[in-house]
């Protein structure tokens, strides 16, 4: 069994995200991993890393640093437990 995020909220932001994300924004992830908002590769990798190393908590947080400039986002994730085939 694994965990997938169902709702991701931006809880902190330093600098302007090139994708326009700011603290208070949120997006959803469906069962197939589809996003309701576009994300950069760095943010997707941070979310994947957080869910793959989760200890089973239903909520967790992670962050990413933009490779373009000194920008930083912090995310809070609500997780669902799913079975992996």
């Amino acid at each position: 069994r694994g965990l997938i995020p169902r709702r991701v909220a931006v809880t902190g932001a330093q600098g302007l995200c090139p994708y326009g994300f700011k603290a208070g924004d949120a997006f959803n992830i469906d069962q197939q991993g589809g996003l309701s908002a576009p994300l950069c590769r760095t943010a997707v990798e941070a979310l994947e890393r957080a869910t793959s190393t989760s200890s089973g908590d239903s909520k967790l947080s992670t962050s990413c640093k933009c490779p373009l400039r000194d920008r930083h986002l912090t995310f809070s994730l609500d997780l669902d437990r799913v079975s992996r085939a």
Side-chain angles (χ1 to χ4, degrees):
R1 297 188 95 193
L3 296 170
I4 62 164
R6 63 171 184 243
R7 180 109 173 122
V8 178
V10 180
T11 56
Q14 295 177 343
L16 295 172
C17 171
Y19 282 75
F21 286 107
K22 60 190 177 307
D25 288 346
F27 53 93
N28 297 310
I29 301 175
D30 64 27
Q31 290 288 337
Q32 290 75 38
L35 302 167
S36 65
L39 287 179
C40 69
R41 180 179 194 92
T42 304
V44 169
E45 288 172 353
L47 295 172
E48 287 176 343
R49 209 170 26 255
T51 57
S52 67
T53 60
S54 172
S55 62
D57 297 331
S58 62
K59 284 190 175 269
L60 57 97
S61 64
T62 190
S63 63
C64 67
K65 184 174 180 185
C66 180
L68 300 177
R69 293 205 177 170
D70 193 24
R71 301 169 181 147
H72 184 259
L73 292 178
T74 302
F75 302 101
S76 171
L77 295 80
D78 289 327
L79 302 174
D80 278 341
R81 189 170 298 281
V82 295
S83 58
R84 304 249 187 222

